[in-house]
Amino acid sequence: MPEQQGTDGTTGTGRLYGVGLGPGDPALMTVRAVEIIGEADVVAYHSARHGRSIARSIAERYIRPDHIEEALVYPVTTETTDHPGGYRGALDEFYAEAAARLAVHLDAGRTVAVLAEGDPLFYGSYQHMHKRLADRYATEVIPGVTSVSAAAARLGTPLVEAEEVLTILPGTLPEEELTARLAATDSAVVMKLGRTFPAVRRAFEASGRLPEARYVERATMAGERTGELADTDPDSVPYFAVAVLPSRIDAPRPSPAAGTGPGEVVVVGTGPAGPLWLTPETRGALAAADDVVGYTTYLDRVPVRPGQQRHGSDNKVESERAEFALDLARRGRRVAVVSGGDPGVFAMATAVLEVASQDAYTEIPVRVLPGVTAANAAAARAGAPLGHDYATLSLSDRLKPWEVIAERLRAAATADLVMALYNPGSRSRTWQVGKARDLLLEHRSPDTPVVLGRDVGGPTESVRTVRLADLDPMEVDMRTILIVGSSQTRWVHRGDGRQIVWTPRRYPEA
């Protein structure tokens, strides 16, 4: 195999190898790993202060009496330290000293094999040597079977299939971060358990994924144990254990009441466009659903998942759609009702809750998950026009008379509020924007900035700002939202050529 140069092009006289040993069973070491250990002059390995090294025990049969051994003993593992730099400072100093010890051998022309459980560059201790030495010496990394692969093999279940996403998480993450990531992903492996296990288990439970989660301890090693994560005794969990969310494809998808009672309806907001606007909680609810119900245009934003049923319908049958979703839940199904933007802002949450308040559906659990609103999305693209008090109104007179809309426009204009105007126009409603403009001009300067946000976040996104007097109704459709500034809203051209719109948080008299 050709010699691999240091990253800066220089080559010391020795060679450095990061040798992946696999998950624990010596039989799972690669042929290349065995060859490198056999050829090495120096075998190095990390250990805790007790001196026992798992890496050395895996490779023990291949270590010769004439090997020079370098035991790199951590000064701390999980305990506290009085090092002036704290825990991180103590480790950084240790890594620098360990790398210097190995450099002595490399400068003497010796071949150094640093042993690493699993894969050397996958949460491995070797990587700290690699970062300090690979730019000075010829280096090769020998990949190894990871604990992730070993755990999936021991469980005997697919880890990921088709378009599923696998997320690998350290259990040391904050509990809320773990919860969010577990809710959002398809499959997952959480590593570094031990003392983190109680928080990890709570994160699985809070994300709704605990019933799916499996537990694997010391995969392929002596003392191996597998089981359900929910049934695992926290006091029995070692560091070398992982929590696994296997593939959902073809996996059992039990209803909350195991098919004997009502399921659940979750109304989710997909934001104004595609996946970039989904929250982790929404992603999790969509992935967990047995049925996805919604206006076909919004359903198209949701990934197709094997085993899920999709029920698309027209945009004008909200009550019927809500009743259909609740009927599915009454039969024990987990149902996600998809809504654009935020489901509680001129969207499906109201329709679902209205039907759910009927006697026939009062026992069915209903949750509403927020989404990014069209107003917030357009405002962010334009700058910060909603930086002060604002009113949100719909210009659609399909469900309320125009007289009510006009009265509310006058009230908001008189109060000098910024206005976010939803549903400004459509093919069947062409005059409302002009009427609203003329009404607002009775209270606002003709130079008042108006943001026109169309298809924000989508492939045909357009966000621009015009004077209120220049607002052309022919340029507005159902996919457009209007943000009308107050007397305090500023419209600025910056040095980079970009226009920004913002409303100060402080009024002049404050």
Side-chain angles (χ1 to χ4, degrees):
M1 177 173 289
E3 185 175 275
Q4 181 175 325
Q5 304 296 309
T7 55
D8 67 352
T10 63
T11 305
T13 55
R15 297 181 183 178
L16 174 68
Y17 291 93
V19 183
L21 303 176
D25 184 348
L28 293 177
M29 292 173 58
T30 65
V31 173
R32 182 63 176 162
V34 173
E35 290 176 347
I36 293 301
I37 294 171
E39 296 170 3
D41 302 307
V42 179
V43 175
Y45 42 82
H46 292 81
S47 77
R49 286 191 295 179
H50 52 56
R52 298 184 300 275
S53 168
I54 293 177
R56 190 191 186 285
S57 68
I58 297 171
E60 184 174 12
R61 70 179 67 172
Y62 303 110
I63 297 178
R64 305 187 312 269
D66 62 330
H67 268 131
I68 302 171
E69 296 190 38
E70 285 285 359
L72 310 176
V73 180
Y74 281 106
V76 291
T77 48
T78 59
E79 63 272 22
T80 58
T81 176
D82 58 1
H83 191 281
Y87 182 81
R88 177 51 53 193
L91 286 183
D92 285 342
E93 183 177 290
F94 162 69
Y95 291 136
E97 292 174 351
R101 285 170 57 188
L102 300 185
V104 170
H105 294 293
L106 293 165
D107 288 337
R110 301 186 185 105
T111 299
V112 177
V114 181
L115 308 182
E117 307 98 303
D119 182 272
L121 298 181
F122 183 77
Y123 292 119
S125 298
Y126 162 76
Q127 61 193 341
H128 300 289
M129 301 299 97
H130 187 88
K131 288 186 287 188
R132 290 166 172 80
L133 297 171
D135 62 336
R136 291 184 280 154
Y137 304 97
T139 302
E140 181 184 339
V141 176
I142 315 301
V145 177
T146 68
S147 59
V148 171
S149 298
R154 284 310 196 218
L155 289 174
T157 184
L159 189 57
V160 278
E161 280 189 67
E163 285 75 41
E164 287 184 311
V165 173
L166 170 65
T167 301
I168 297 174
L169 302 163
T172 50
L173 282 176
E175 188 174 325
E176 286 189 350
E177 182 70 17
L178 279 171
T179 301
R181 292 181 179 269
L182 289 170
T185 194
D186 298 307
S187 302
V189 176
V190 182
M191 308 181 65
K192 304 182 180 182
L193 296 186
R195 297 197 308 173
T196 70
F197 184 80
V200 170
R201 190 191 187 284
R202 289 194 299 268
F204 272 95
E205 188 166 18
S207 65
R209 307 299 299 275
L210 186 59
E212 308 166 56
R214 306 291 301 279
Y215 173 80
V216 183
E217 176 183 316
R218 296 186 173 93
T220 79
M221 303 166 70
E224 176 185 300
R225 178 167 62 123
T226 64
E228 303 298 324
L229 189 74
D231 299 334
T232 302
D233 178 7
D235 294 333
S236 70
V237 177
Y239 181 83
F240 285 97
V242 297
V244 181
L245 284 176
S247 168
R248 278 173 155 163
I249 297 178
D250 297 326
R253 298 168 64 88
S255 297
T260 60
E264 180 186 41
V265 172
V266 184
V267 191
V268 300
T270 61
L276 286 176
W277 303 84
L278 292 178
T279 67
E281 189 177 25
T282 293
R283 287 183 183 275
L286 289 170
D290 301 307
D291 298 83
V292 184
V293 176
Y295 173 38
T296 304
T297 298
Y298 298 148
L299 278 186
D300 290 342
R301 299 176 183 171
V302 177
V304 176
R305 297 177 182 276
Q308 279 186 343
Q309 301 295 317
R310 298 164 72 90
H311 311 274
S313 57
D314 183 79
N315 196 32
K316 298 179 181 180
V317 292
E318 292 182 350
S319 294
E320 293 88 340
R321 189 183 306 139
E323 187 171 349
F324 177 75
L326 288 160
D327 281 332
L328 287 172
R330 189 160 53 180
R331 300 200 299 268
R333 307 285 288 180
R334 291 175 296 188
V335 185
V337 176
V338 175
S339 182
D342 182 284
V345 180
F346 304 121
M348 276 301 298
T350 300
V352 172
L353 292 173
E354 184 175 7
V355 177
S357 297
Q358 298 175 11
D359 291 344
Y361 301 112
T362 55
E363 300 301 319
I364 296 174
V366 177
R367 290 187 294 140
V368 179
L369 303 185
V372 177
T373 70
N376 292 150
R381 289 288 200 256
L386 304 181
H388 206 287
D389 301 337
Y390 68 94
T392 301
L393 299 93
S394 170
L395 293 189
S396 173
D397 58 352
R398 190 168 69 86
L399 299 176
K400 64 179 183 288
W402 175 257
E403 290 74 20
V404 172
I405 297 172
E407 181 181 353
R408 291 175 179 177
L409 284 170
R410 290 190 189 94
T414 302
D416 198 24
L417 296 173
V418 175
M419 282 172 270
L421 304 181
Y422 281 71
N423 308 317
S426 67
R427 283 177 292 185
S428 62
R429 293 189 298 105
T430 58
W431 55 267
Q432 284 85 348
V433 172
K435 285 281 189 180
R437 176 199 59 203
D438 295 343
L439 187 154
L440 293 174
L441 281 170
E442 297 173 9
H443 304 272
R444 298 281 163 92
S445 163
D447 293 328
T448 300
V450 179
V451 176
L452 290 83
R454 186 182 187 280
D455 190 29
V456 177
T460 61
E461 176 182 305
S462 171
V463 179
R464 61 193 187 88
T465 305
V466 301
R467 297 168 65 245
L468 177 59
D470 298 331
L471 178 59
D472 183 356
M474 299 304 295
E475 297 179 353
V476 177
D477 61 14
M478 196 65 177
R479 301 180 69 185
T480 305
I481 186 168
L482 304 177
I483 300 178
V484 182
S486 71
S487 66
Q488 301 301 306
T489 302
R490 304 290 182 256
W491 183 10
V492 179
H493 292 262
R494 291 178 53 80
D496 59 4
R498 182 184 173 217
Q499 295 182 114
I500 61 168
V501 183
W502 57 284
T503 302
R505 296 179 62 193
R506 182 185 298 274
Y507 260 60
E509 21 325 305

